Structure formats: structure tokens, C-alpha cells
Amino acid sequence: MNSNRYTHCFVALFLIIAAVALGRFVLLSLVQYSYMDGEFPWWMQQKDYVHMKSDKQEIIFLGDSRMKAGIIPEKVCENAYNLAVGGGTTVEMYYSLRDYLQFHPKPEMVVMGFAIVHYVGEGCFTSRDLYFHFLPLKNQLEAQYIGYKKCGWQFSKFKAKVIDTLKYALLFPQKYSASCINSKFKRGEWNRSQFEKNAKDKGHMYFGMNESDGNFNGDAGINFILDARNDFYMRKIIALCKNHEIPFFIEQLPMNTVSWEKLQETNCYPSLKNYLNSLALETGIPVELAIPCYEPECFGDASHLNPRGAERFSAEIKEKYGL
């Protein structure tokens, strides 16, 4: 008798906990815009546009925050669109381009560029991709597996990353409670206004708005050790473009003078050029090796172009490609 009572109590407790967890998951899924922080609306706008049915052939720009801030589509040409995401790497750009091709005509051309730090590291895969649920869970787990196979991760590291990926997917409290508490669920209006502004600006946005910035950026003084996962997805992007007969170009993004000078103190830049040269020889794609060096007055923060710098870079790209 007591045994049955304990069993019923256990089952009832389990069902209550499961119902609470499910209810919390559904609720947080429905009101993401009210508590999500950081660059959430900009990543979601990119995701929304990639999956939006269209019959317009475009020139698209892929990359990280430096590309997102540096290319003003309307200053390049009428049919340009900026699909870069802040902190992104070739991982996000491959899946974005793959899905883009399912809903849009193949691009007239694709131009991609990254800061050096996003050749050597995983970027913001955890803090943005997983946190914002940018990619489907299947693709997130696939990317973690590629990291395990290509980067030589220990199985314990791979296991920890898979568990972490699942925690984000299931909206575990430890991942989202701080945002919920800090936001008081009042970020909806701001997030949606930023989504709409980003859509209006064809994916372009600024990360810094200072009149000038001459501080060191994230590339200054680092060593170039190529991340094998980034290389794997770089080659998948190239293959995807070749299979669809899309002209594909790799560009370099501007840096300020002090960062450029600091970069000369290591083997970072020669190593980057060696990698890109080998990539060009193996695949036949055009690769730009020269990094534009702009004065501090073109930067809104140490890494990102301000309006003056973005207009200059956009004009240079427009002229270079005859757009």
C-alpha cells in the first residue's frame, strides 16, 4: 500500500516538474524578443531574410561584424544585401548561404570577409549562435561534431559542448535566467525596432559611432593558428558557390593604422596570406590579400568602421567590382 502511494507521489511529482519545464520552455520561446539581449534582433533579422521567399537576384556580402558595419548595401548597388553577423565565422555563413539558395535565386556574386580573429577562433558560436538559436539544433550539433573531428578536441570537450548545446536548445534556466531577470521582459519594443531598422538598411548596422578610434583591435599582436573547423566550412562555402556557378570573392576588411603597425610585429599577416594563397591555388577563387589601412577617423571603435569609414569602404568595393 505504502509502495503504491510512493509510486503515485513520484509519478505526480515528475509530471508536475515536466509540466512546469515544458510550460517555461513554451513561454520563453514565445516571448524571446522581450528578454533577449546583445545582438539578438540583428541575428534574427538576418535569419528571417535568409528564409524569406524572394525572386530578386542579389549581390550578397558575408562575414562578421566588420563586414556588417563596413558595407552599406545602398552605397554599393541597388541589389546588394549584407548577410554578415557580428561574431560570425564560416560556420554561420555556410548554413546561411545554403539556406539562402533554397528561397532566393542564386546570387549574382558573393563577397565574404572576416577579421583575422575569426579565422583562428570559433567567434561567438556559443554566446550568439547557440544563445539566440540561430541555426537549427541539427546544424549546431553537426558543427560541434566537425570541431571534434577536425580540430582534435578531446572527447570530453566534445561531450561538454554537446551538452551545452542541448542546454541552450532546451532553454535551461542557467542559460537564460539572468537575461530574464535583468530585462524584466521589457526589451521587446527595442528589439523589434532594431529588427525593423536592420531590415530597412538591408542588413547593415554600426557597432561603434565614435568620431575616431585609434586603439588596438582584436587582430593586433595575435598569432595565426587556423581553426580547422573554420577552414572546413570555408571550403564548403567555396564548393557551394562553385556547384551553383556563383562568382565568389574573399575580401580583407579595413583596420586602423595602429592595429596595422602592431600586426607587423608577429607572423600573423604572412601566415594569413600563406593560407589564403594556398586556398586560392587549390580552389581557383579570387582572394584579396591586402588589408586596407584607414586613419583612426574612419573608426567608430577599435575594430569597426563609423559612417565615414563605411561610406569609404563601400565606395571602394563598388569601384573595385564595377557595381
Side-chain angles (χ1 to χ4, degrees):
M1 195 72 166
N2 288 338
S3 176
N4 287 338
R5 184 178 300 136
Y6 289 142
T7 299
H8 291 155
C9 288
F10 176 80
V11 171
L13 180 62
F14 174 80
L15 291 175
I16 291 171
I17 293 173
V20 170
L22 179 60
R24 180 185 181 280
F25 176 83
V26 171
L27 175 62
L28 292 187
S29 297
L30 293 174
V31 297
Q32 288 184 92
Y33 278 83
S34 68
Y35 67 88
M36 282 292 199
D37 53 6
E39 299 172 31
F40 176 74
W42 306 314
W43 279 64
M44 291 302 101
Q45 191 278 322
Q46 193 265 29
K47 180 178 179 179
D48 184 73
Y49 188 79
V50 162
H51 295 90
M52 182 186 298
K53 189 70 176 176
S54 171
D55 58 3
K56 183 178 182 180
Q57 188 177 39
E58 299 174 310
I59 293 170
I60 63 172
F61 292 86
L62 304 177
D64 56 17
S65 59
R66 294 192 201 176
M67 178 66 88
K68 195 166 188 66
I71 290 294
I72 307 171
E74 64 179 13
K75 298 291 185 180
V76 176
C77 61
E78 184 181 351
N79 64 326
Y81 206 97
N82 193 331
L83 291 179
V85 292
T89 66
T90 54
V91 176
E92 290 83 13
M93 292 302 98
Y94 166 71
Y95 290 113
S96 292
L97 180 58
R98 183 202 64 182
D99 290 358
Y100 178 95
L101 291 171
Q102 296 178 28
F103 297 92
H104 302 252
K106 71 176 186 179
E108 186 178 326
M109 62 185 287
V110 173
V111 181
M112 187 169 75
F114 292 100
I116 300 175
V117 292
H118 292 145
Y119 282 98
V120 304
E122 70 169 25
C124 296
F125 185 78
T126 299
S127 62
R128 290 176 176 75
D129 194 319
L130 299 185
Y131 183 60
F132 296 154
H133 310 131
F134 180 71
L135 295 177
L137 177 60
K138 175 184 176 182
N139 295 147
Q140 291 174 341
L141 292 173
E142 181 179 54
Q144 301 289 36
Y145 179 72
I146 294 301
Y148 169 58
K149 297 297 289 185
K150 298 293 182 180
C151 298
W153 295 347
Q154 295 292 325
F155 182 76
S156 58
K157 179 178 180 178
F158 171 58
K159 178 182 175 182
K161 284 183 172 290
V162 168
I163 292 172
D164 209 38
T165 302
L166 293 173
K167 286 181 178 179
Y168 279 106
L170 295 172
L171 295 170
F172 265 44
Q174 69 191 90
K175 302 298 185 185
Y176 294 95
S177 292
S179 292
C180 292
I181 294 170
N182 293 333
S183 69
K184 298 179 182 178
F185 294 93
K186 293 181 179 180
R187 292 182 179 141
E189 184 177 347
W190 187 88
N191 277 335
R192 293 192 183 281
S193 70
Q194 291 299 305
F195 180 103
E196 292 168 4
K197 184 180 186 306
N198 205 220
K200 179 178 176 292
D201 294 337
K202 294 185 171 182
H204 173 260
M205 62 158 292
Y206 293 108
F207 288 79
M209 291 297 286
N210 294 332
E211 287 294 319
S212 176
D213 198 305
N215 295 307
F216 293 130
N217 67 23
D219 294 340
I222 68 170
N223 291 318
F224 187 87
I225 302 175
L226 179 67
D227 183 271
R229 182 167 73 174
N230 291 338
D231 177 55
F232 174 85
Y233 280 101
M234 171 71 82
R235 294 172 188 277
K236 285 182 74 68
I237 291 170
I238 294 170
L240 189 61
C241 286
K242 285 196 168 190
N243 290 340
H244 287 84
E245 298 182 329
I246 303 167
F248 176 72
F249 305 88
I250 294 179
E251 273 294 336
Q252 298 302 319
L253 304 171
M255 63 172 56
N256 62 30
T257 48
V258 296
S259 297
W260 169 250
E261 290 167 2
K262 184 70 173 178
L263 193 65
Q264 311 310 304
E265 298 179 6
T266 69
N267 71 340
C268 180
Y269 184 47
S271 298
L272 171 68
K273 290 195 294 184
N274 288 339
Y275 166 64
L276 293 177
N277 269 325
S278 66
L279 198 64
L281 287 172
E282 289 176 37
T283 64
I285 61 164
V287 171
E288 178 59 66
L289 298 176
I291 297 176
C293 185
Y294 290 2
E295 58 273 12
E297 288 74 20
C298 288
F299 290 83
D301 59 29
S303 297
H304 304 102
L305 296 173
N306 59 21
R308 183 187 299 110
E311 291 201 15
R312 175 178 170 181
F313 185 54
S314 298
E316 289 175 359
I317 292 295
K318 177 181 178 70
E319 181 179 4
K320 178 176 181 176
Y321 292 100
L323 303 174

